Amino acid sequence: MNLFALRKQLDRVLYPIVSQISKLPLHANHWTLLGAFVGLACAIFFLYGLWWPGLALLLFRGLIDHIDGFKARNFDQRSTFGAVMDDVTDRWVLGIIYAGACLNLSFDFPHVLIVLGFGITGSLSNVIAKLSVYAESQQDIFREEGKIGHPIDVVGLFGSAEFLIYFGMGVLWTAILNDQRPLLAGVWAVAIMSHLSLFQRVIFAWQRYRHVDPAALLAKQEPSEG
């Protein structure tokens, strides 16, 4: 299980801050776009080794990720486009932030370029595995407050929240100690845990769906629709 399962508890903790900021005259999609620019700026700071301002933007971007969803749900601004762009922006931002830090580390630790490849590949494969399960097992999809969900969401030890913890703690201790090794450990953790999580999701799909025939499911639905 990953920290996605604790999202509601975190939302309650952040509610006083998020509810006040969301009153600003910005549409939910504007907050999503702002999060993309903040993520890009964060990546640039990390690329040049500016750890403290980069960490501040990393935390601010995490807050924005809560604000856009809150704004959409509570101000009647939900849309399929907004949901898609929120997911796309989240993955894009985490990717460029990770890449910025790895490129900085590569000057002193050249092997980090290989770690970067493994980290990006593991994270992308996790997303693809999740989307594939969504597409092929629509009988298990549910919606809560307009947000699409699936049991696979909480499978695996790695997700966006875990990325922020492993990577963010590395940045924090690198900034405190003025030593790149904590961040090096953080980017290694992202690469390793993303692949472990991918393995867990594959096992989940195997256990849950290895005897499920999608053609048979479709055949069962067709008479009821007629």
Side-chain angles (χ1 to χ4, degrees):
M1 179 178 292
N2 55 50
L3 293 177
F4 186 88
L6 304 178
R7 178 69 183 258
K8 289 184 178 180
Q9 286 77 0
L10 181 58
D11 286 344
R12 282 196 286 267
V13 172
L14 293 176
Y15 176 81
I17 301 172
V18 171
S19 61
Q20 290 300 314
I21 298 177
S22 65
K23 294 178 181 178
L24 293 172
L26 288 176
H27 192 277
N29 292 344
H30 296 155
W31 281 109
T32 301
L33 182 61
L34 176 62
F37 284 112
V38 171
L40 178 60
C42 178
I44 293 172
F45 278 134
F46 287 151
L47 176 62
Y48 288 99
L50 302 172
W51 308 120
W52 285 115
L55 180 61
L57 288 182
L58 182 67
L59 296 175
F60 181 48
R61 201 273 153 185
L63 180 62
I64 291 175
D65 188 36
H66 286 270
I67 294 172
D68 60 2
F70 182 90
K71 186 86 174 188
R73 292 189 301 271
N74 294 279
F75 290 80
D76 195 25
Q77 295 178 2
R78 286 192 293 254
S79 70
T80 300
F81 171 77
V84 170
M85 289 311 300
D86 181 50
D87 284 340
V88 170
T89 301
D90 285 348
R91 304 306 185 271
W92 182 78
V93 163
L94 295 183
I96 62 169
I97 287 175
Y98 185 69
C102 286
L103 289 174
N104 176 278
L105 292 175
S106 68
F107 291 110
D108 295 310
F109 306 97
H111 77 277
V112 171
L113 293 177
I114 299 175
V115 180
L116 170 61
F118 273 102
I120 293 294
T121 301
S123 299
L124 283 177
S125 297
N126 262 286
V127 174
I128 292 171
K130 179 178 175 179
L131 292 178
S132 295
V133 171
Y134 266 57
E136 298 294 341
S137 60
Q138 296 187 21
Q139 70 273 15
D140 286 336
I141 287 177
F142 60 87
R143 283 189 178 273
E144 187 175 351
E145 295 182 344
K147 184 77 172 178
I148 193 170
H150 190 283
I152 199 172
D153 290 337
V154 297
V155 173
L157 295 173
F158 181 84
S160 298
E162 285 79 11
F163 172 90
L164 292 175
I165 291 173
Y166 305 145
F167 182 81
M169 289 300 295
V171 175
L172 174 63
W173 284 105
T174 287
I176 292 174
L177 301 175
N178 194 27
D179 184 339
Q180 291 179 318
R181 285 175 294 179
L183 181 55
L184 179 63
V187 299
W188 264 103
V190 169
I192 293 170
M193 296 303 291
S194 63
H195 279 82
L196 176 60
S197 184
L198 176 61
F199 177 74
Q200 290 175 302
R201 286 183 167 179
V202 170
I203 292 297
F204 166 85
W206 178 77
Q207 291 176 334
R208 193 177 183 100
Y209 300 116
R210 70 183 183 276
H211 298 306
V212 176
D213 181 357
L217 289 175
L218 182 61
K220 289 180 181 179
Q221 293 173 357
E222 285 178 347
S224 62
E225 291 174 357

